[in-house]
Amino acid sequence: MAEAGAPACCKRKRENEANGGSQDGAGAGASPLAGFQLQRVLGDSAREKIIFLHGKVNDESGSERDAVVILEKTPFLAENITDVLHGDPAPQLQMSNDVYSTYSLRPPSQLNEIKTTLIFPATEKHIKKYLRQEVFLIQETGEDYRNITLPFIESQSFSLQWVYNILEKKAELDRIVYENPSPTDGFVLLPDFKWDQKQVDNLYLIAICHIRTVKSLRDLSSEHLPLLTNILNEGQDAIRKRYAISGSHLRVYLHYQPSYYHLHVHFTALGYDAPGTSVERAHLLSDVIQNLQLDSQYYQKRTITYALRADDPLLQKFRDAGKC
């Protein structure tokens, strides 16, 4: 068990890799973004300074394919604030009232970066994922999981090749921060693609388990306590050594439902309002460990509440069963 070398600020996107995209990020030749033809805005957030776009891009054969582009304003860096405030042209006054005034600033181009994620070719699942939808709360009992959710999961073709590429060192090797190589109790820790790695205020790493038989929270029992304890303790220690952030400043949690069905754990800076940290989705790893210590079958038996989007096929399965 050893820490890996410092991760590079790489532009690879895992969702792109999972669908046949290049693993090299910024390869030679023109960017596919240059040919992006906007079809519609899937969703946006003024608070998070992010927008999700659906469009068309020609592939290497010239065929028009679906693409999703995510544009996100990068965070401010403290060392650049002076350059932002003293930019050219000078700040333009918009409003003044007593002690309050607002200005329009145009920072230098090198400080006005927009993090851009391209998913290409994008599937219908990708497009629906970023389309703004009404959401509904589901209360899934252990019986509901066995009779509705699990059969649905097993009937779907969720690609996990990008996960296996990481575990088998076929992709993102230079991004690995830490690894415990145990096939049963080990994991790989690396930056999540949502994090640009330019500052630790929005730190976001992911621990991916080596074991391939655990899909989600529902599969966990007391036999997995060594794995979960390793992730919590060794993951926090690796982050403390690499990024100088203590465990008391980290939020460590699992999603249910997860975005992909291979057990993984999220590590985010406590002060960062990361996506997916709402109470109806995030389960603190420390709580999960304690619950399994109290009852080995805790997550096989308990009712778990989570949200599903209106277009999620699983929601329809619950409706068909008269559960919502």
Side-chain angles (χ1 to χ4, degrees):
M1 293 178 283
E3 287 188 80
C9 282
C10 154
K11 293 297 183 182
R12 287 190 301 267
K13 302 297 177 243
R14 295 179 191 159
E15 290 181 278
N16 193 31
E17 293 172 5
N19 291 276
S22 168
Q23 295 179 1
D24 295 327
S31 165
L33 292 169
F36 182 80
Q37 302 174 44
L38 178 64
Q39 302 293 305
R40 56 177 168 162
V41 175
L42 299 173
D44 59 22
S45 171
R47 180 175 179 268
E48 297 178 359
K49 306 296 187 295
I50 191 170
I51 190 168
F52 306 95
L53 309 173
H54 170 220
K56 300 287 186 178
V57 175
N58 289 335
D59 63 17
E60 292 180 355
S61 69
S63 300
E64 196 173 66
R65 307 286 295 275
D66 284 308
V68 171
V69 169
I70 305 170
L71 302 177
E72 180 180 6
K73 180 67 183 71
T74 55
F76 290 105
L77 299 177
E79 59 266 30
N80 294 333
I81 293 300
T82 299
D83 292 334
V84 172
L85 295 175
H86 298 172
D88 185 18
Q92 301 295 307
L93 179 66
Q94 293 183 323
M95 182 277 293
S96 179
N97 183 358
D98 193 30
V99 299
Y100 304 99
S101 55
T102 59
Y103 293 83
S104 174
L105 296 176
R106 296 186 181 276
S109 59
Q110 69 271 20
L111 303 180
N112 205 22
E113 181 181 352
I114 295 176
K115 179 186 174 186
T116 305
T117 301
L118 171 66
I119 304 172
F120 175 73
T123 66
E124 187 64 25
K125 288 182 181 178
H126 289 123
I127 295 170
K128 286 184 177 181
K129 175 180 178 179
Y130 296 106
L131 182 64
R132 183 183 288 116
Q133 290 278 330
E134 186 178 7
V135 293
F136 298 84
L137 276 181
I138 295 295
Q139 291 189 317
E140 178 191 273
T141 65
E143 183 179 4
D144 290 337
Y145 174 74
R146 293 185 290 274
N147 295 336
I148 302 173
T149 307
L150 183 58
F152 170 78
I153 292 171
E154 293 175 338
S155 70
Q156 301 299 299
S157 56
F158 299 107
S159 174
L160 293 173
Q161 189 55 52
W162 70 269
V163 174
Y164 301 150
N165 286 344
I166 292 171
L167 296 177
E168 296 168 7
K169 310 300 190 300
K170 295 179 180 178
E172 306 197 43
L173 179 60
D174 58 343
R175 286 164 53 84
I176 294 176
V177 173
Y178 176 86
E179 179 178 17
N180 178 326
S182 169
T184 56
D185 302 330
F187 63 98
V188 169
L189 180 69
L190 70 168
D192 189 275
F193 80 93
K194 301 180 189 70
W195 184 35
D196 62 11
Q197 303 178 65
K198 292 185 177 180
Q199 61 180 17
V200 297
D201 288 349
N202 60 335
L203 176 140
Y204 198 144
L205 290 95
I206 199 89
I208 302 176
C209 303
H210 280 298
I211 189 170
R212 301 189 183 190
T213 56
V214 183
K215 293 182 288 297
S216 73
L217 194 66
R218 282 291 192 187
D219 292 331
L220 293 173
S221 66
S222 59
E223 70 175 286
H224 301 112
L225 284 171
L227 166 64
L228 300 177
T229 302
N230 286 347
I231 292 174
L232 181 61
N233 295 336
E234 296 175 18
Q236 289 180 331
D237 189 53
I239 290 173
R240 178 184 59 79
K241 292 178 180 177
R242 176 62 61 85
Y243 303 106
I245 297 181
S246 68
S248 62
H249 289 90
L250 292 172
R251 181 186 293 111
V252 188
Y253 56 97
L254 298 87
H255 280 153
Y256 191 79
Q257 292 276 329
S259 55
Y260 54 94
Y261 292 93
H262 179 106
L263 190 70
H264 57 284
V265 177
H266 304 258
F267 288 76
T268 61
L270 187 59
Y272 171 45
D273 187 16
T277 54
S278 55
V279 295
E280 68 272 13
R281 191 176 186 198
H283 298 254
L284 290 174
L285 179 55
S286 57
D287 288 348
V288 172
I289 290 172
Q290 291 185 46
N291 290 334
L292 292 174
Q293 289 171 336
L294 292 171
D295 184 349
S296 176
Q297 302 301 307
Y298 183 88
Y299 289 102
Q300 279 79 52
K301 297 186 294 187
R302 71 154 290 181
T303 296
I304 301 179
T305 301
Y306 56 87
L308 289 176
R309 290 154 51 96
D311 64 346
D312 195 313
L314 180 56
L315 177 64
Q316 189 58 49
K317 295 293 184 182
F318 273 86
R319 285 173 169 166
D320 293 343
K323 296 291 183 176
C324 65

